[in-house]
Amino acid sequence: MFDLTRLGQPFLFALDPETAHGLSIRALKSGLPLARCPRPDDRLKVRVAGLDFPNPLGMAAGFDKHGEVPDALLALGFGFAEIGTVTPLAQPGNPKPRIFRLMRDQAVINRFGFNSEGHAAVQARMGARTRRRGVVGVNIGANKERVDRVADYVAGVTAFGATASYLTVNISSPNTPGLRSLQDRDSLAELLARVMQARDAVPGGKRPPVFLKIAPDLAEAALDDIAGELLANKVEGLIVSNTTLSRAGLSPTDHVNEAGGLSGKPLFARSTAMLARMRLRLGPDFAIVGAGGVDSVETALEKIRAGADLVQLYTGMIYAGPSLPGRIVRGLSRFADDEGLRSIRDIRDSTVDIWAGAPLG
Ligand SMILES: Cc1cc2nc3c(=O)[nH]c(=O)nc-3n(C[C@H](O)[C@H](O)[C@H](O)COP(=O)(O)O)c2cc1C
């Protein structure tokens, strides 16, 4: 089997990161078997927000922004794939270069700024795969120049409500000026009320669950507000977290001062500390997805122990290649063997108190 981890990664690292990403998408589109898919394992199945996931590991938003390869991602072993962020109108995003590797820290800084082919193009792809199995979520956003941003999220719900397994309301990208202020309580209350109303009116009667994706750069009081609004508006799920504006603890390299959101290893502790805080605020039955710095079996397990029902990764795959999801999923099965687990969910929350007390950094 052609294992890009051995052959392709050094080659991809020689290219600028955006070109390398384009090649990865093309390789996935080509249908080449890039990695070995793990065997199905009943102990890894999870039912979250009314959806059945074959395993808890997903591809995070931003890798497949235009919905070109969700099924190829599932074939790598991911239990679900989130496409997007998609904006209503096509827009180019920020000027290049807009993604930077921080090799020593196994991190990335990006300031893509929602480059998107727009709802119509992406919806055509989602519409063409409706008979396929597999959980594919659509992450929706707002156009940069749009004044009524809430209307863009409502449009996203209407556009993808019938074809997406779930919808993610992304108000946490640091690269669209002002977007993160939608996390403030009053703005969030209005946004969530209108989004949930639109979801309940999706043409065809489908009611896909709605997940909110938040930043890791929030104060404790903001976490209280967000939890309150999620519960008040009966939103089904939360994703913790998007990229951070923090540059704490990075090795001094050329790229640390680039503007944008930081992801990868240095985000793990901060995003996990936030995840645990939100688990305690939202209670045991609320669906939470943990993202940020997952790059191994151990980091995936620790997100679950800290309170995550599901886990997502992106940056880890930039460094480890397309065999990473399969390796993590197989590792989860081995862990279940070793511990004699009936379900991977049995370890959830076992370190939630420790992580909830960890500093946000
Ligand atoms: C290059 C890049 C582009 C991203 N684009 C998006 C995006 O369009 N929408 C979104 O919600 N998150 C986006 N993210 C954030 C990821 O989905 C994820 O929340 C974050 O990177 C933390 O996970 P990681 O450390 O495993 O990468 C992007 C991340 C990277 C590295």
Side-chain angles (χ1 to χ4, degrees):
M1 172 133 339
F2 178 54
D3 183 354
L4 261 187
T5 310
R6 300 231 168 79
L7 290 172
Q9 275 341 82
F11 167 68
L12 290 177
F13 288 147
L15 302 173
D16 85 84
E18 193 161 346
T19 306
H21 180 255
L23 279 180
S24 304
I25 296 280
R26 276 171 60 181
L28 285 165
K29 260 191 188 168
S30 74
L32 274 175
L34 298 176
R36 199 158 46 90
C37 193
R39 278 169 206 260
D41 182 342
D42 281 348
R43 298 166 304 178
L44 303 188
K45 285 186 181 165
V46 276
R47 187 167 171 80
V48 179
L51 300 173
D52 289 309
F53 296 76
N55 71 63
L57 182 69
M59 181 79 227
F63 179 86
D64 186 10
K65 283 185 187 266
H66 316 303
E68 297 170 281
V69 292
D71 297 292
L73 289 169
L74 298 177
L76 295 179
F78 283 114
F80 64 111
E82 185 169 316
I83 67 163
T85 296
V86 191
T87 57
L89 304 175
Q91 63 176 27
N94 289 323
K96 297 175 188 176
R98 50 195 181 174
I99 170 166
F100 306 88
R101 294 187 197 99
L102 282 63
M103 302 285 285
R104 265 205 274 171
D105 295 307
Q106 303 263 294
V108 156
I109 291 174
N110 93 82
R111 53 167 179 269
F112 270 97
F114 289 170
N115 56 311
S116 177
E117 293 183 2
H119 284 174
V122 179
Q123 172 49 21
R125 292 185 191 116
M126 286 299 287
R129 70 166 300 284
T130 47
R131 281 162 198 273
R132 286 186 179 254
R133 291 160 59 95
V135 178
V136 178
V138 180
N139 179 306
I140 53 177
N143 279 116
K144 186 178 177 192
E145 307 296 342
R146 181 70 150 148
V147 179
D148 183 0
R149 293 211 158 131
V150 174
D152 276 6
Y153 289 95
V154 167
V157 173
T158 307
F160 295 103
T163 52
S165 305
Y166 68 89
L167 296 161
T168 297
V169 173
N170 174 20
I171 49 171
S172 45
S173 165
N175 301 315
T176 295
L179 193 82
R180 284 182 164 198
S181 65
L182 285 171
Q183 295 174 127
D184 300 345
R185 184 149 203 167
D186 290 348
S187 310
L188 188 62
E190 191 208 338
L191 170 73
L192 293 180
R194 284 177 60 189
V195 159
M196 296 313 280
Q197 198 179 28
R199 192 283 303 271
D200 290 340
V202 164
K206 210 179 146 203
R207 299 276 175 275
V210 171
F211 293 1
L212 182 75
K213 183 165 179 179
I214 59 172
D217 308 321
L218 295 162
E220 300 274 353
L223 300 185
D224 293 337
D225 289 349
I226 291 170
E229 291 304 327
L230 286 170
L231 295 170
N233 288 284
K234 298 191 166 55
V235 175
E236 283 83 9
L238 175 70
I239 304 182
V240 189
S241 72
N242 214 311
T243 56
T244 180
L245 291 172
S246 166
R247 297 292 184 265
L250 295 180
S251 325
T253 58
D254 293 351
H255 296 314
V256 287
N257 294 319
E258 291 291 349
L262 175 80
S263 58
K265 225 181 234 318
L267 178 58
F268 180 79
R270 171 184 284 259
S271 58
T272 308
M274 284 229 1
L275 156 70
R277 283 165 167 78
M278 292 309 279
R279 170 57 71 204
L280 294 185
R281 283 166 169 84
L282 290 165
D285 298 329
F286 201 90
I288 304 186
V289 185
V294 171
D295 58 3
S296 62
V297 181
E298 196 40 53
T299 45
L301 286 169
E302 201 53 42
K303 288 282 188 196
I304 300 173
R305 291 189 190 108
D309 298 294
L310 299 164
V311 172
Q312 290 178 322
L313 64 79
Y314 180 173
T315 306
M317 208 166 86
I318 295 179
Y319 288 101
S323 64
L324 183 65
R327 283 191 276 138
I328 292 180
V329 171
R330 278 189 289 275
L332 296 178
S333 289
R334 267 196 311 277
F335 176 80
D337 290 341
D338 294 347
E339 300 294 312
L341 296 181
R342 292 223 324 268
S343 164
I344 196 71
R345 199 181 183 286
D346 294 348
I347 66 164
R348 209 199 74 187
D349 300 347
S350 55
T351 61
V352 67
D353 291 320
I354 297 169
W355 278 107
L360 285 176

